[in-house]
Amino acid sequence: MIRKYKKEDREITLAMMREFYSSPAVLHAICEDNYLRTLDEAESDSPYMDIFILESQNQVAGYALTAYTYSNEAGGKVVWIEELFVLPSFQGQGLGKEFLLYIKSAFGDFARIRLEVEESNDGATRLYRREGFESLNYRQYIIDKS
């Protein structure tokens, strides 16, 4: 089952975020305040993002964080899958695929679904390719607020 995050999910989601950002799926850890701001934003019914809870056998099995933007290149609204994390004990059960199918269905009015994957994350890369995602030959740049 996939459902939207509720305030009651805060502690388990926080724990999963910490685990995700200490895994090889990401390039670096983030500060604790970022997690808390993200959860606060989700609890404020933000128009910019959502957190989804993935469940299996009536247990929390993972989470996903999505963000929303607009792209002239894509010709419409874009859903960014910022984070998709499945707890190790639930990996290999098709939950990542189920979430991608859910997003494709739930966000049918969006022009593009976009995500990033760490180069060494072969399992996620295979999943994304099987589900029709194409690699972009972009180099991304950022500047963080200090």
Side-chain angles (χ1 to χ4, degrees):
M1 182 172 97
I2 298 165
R3 63 174 174 80
K4 282 203 175 179
Y5 167 90
K6 299 181 286 194
K7 195 172 190 168
E8 298 81 33
D9 298 314
R10 188 176 182 98
E11 291 306 314
I12 186 70
T13 305
L14 180 59
M16 289 187 293
M17 287 176 163
R18 288 176 180 139
E19 188 170 346
F20 175 70
Y21 275 95
S22 65
S23 78
V26 296
L27 294 175
H28 56 82
I30 62 174
C31 69
E32 186 75 11
D33 286 345
N34 286 16
Y35 304 131
L36 301 176
R37 279 194 297 272
T38 298
L39 294 171
D40 289 345
E41 187 74 16
E43 292 169 14
S44 75
D45 293 325
S46 173
Y48 302 110
M49 56 83 76
D50 282 307
I51 296 175
F52 294 91
I53 301 298
L54 287 64
E55 293 182 336
S56 179
Q57 302 163 9
N58 295 318
Q59 296 178 41
V60 172
Y63 81 96
L65 172 64
T66 56
Y68 313 112
T69 187
Y70 188 92
S71 169
N72 192 35
E73 178 183 319
K77 298 176 194 171
V78 176
V79 176
W80 274 85
I81 301 173
E82 290 282 341
E83 298 170 16
L84 175 54
F85 176 73
V86 177
L87 289 164
S89 59
F90 291 95
Q91 290 176 3
Q93 297 179 19
L95 295 173
K97 178 180 179 175
E98 186 178 327
F99 178 73
L100 296 175
L101 293 172
Y102 171 82
I103 288 296
K104 289 177 185 177
S105 172
F107 293 97
D109 64 332
F110 280 73
R112 177 176 285 167
I113 299 171
R114 191 166 176 168
L115 52 78
E116 297 173 338
V117 62
E118 166 55 38
E119 216 172 305
S120 65
N121 194 340
D122 295 330
T125 299
R126 282 191 304 276
L127 169 64
Y128 301 146
R129 286 188 178 143
R130 277 195 314 265
E131 291 307 310
F133 286 83
E134 299 174 24
S135 177
L136 292 174
N137 293 321
Y138 288 126
R139 186 174 280 179
Q140 292 194 16
Y141 295 91
I142 62 170
I143 186 168
D144 288 330
K145 181 179 173 183
S146 297

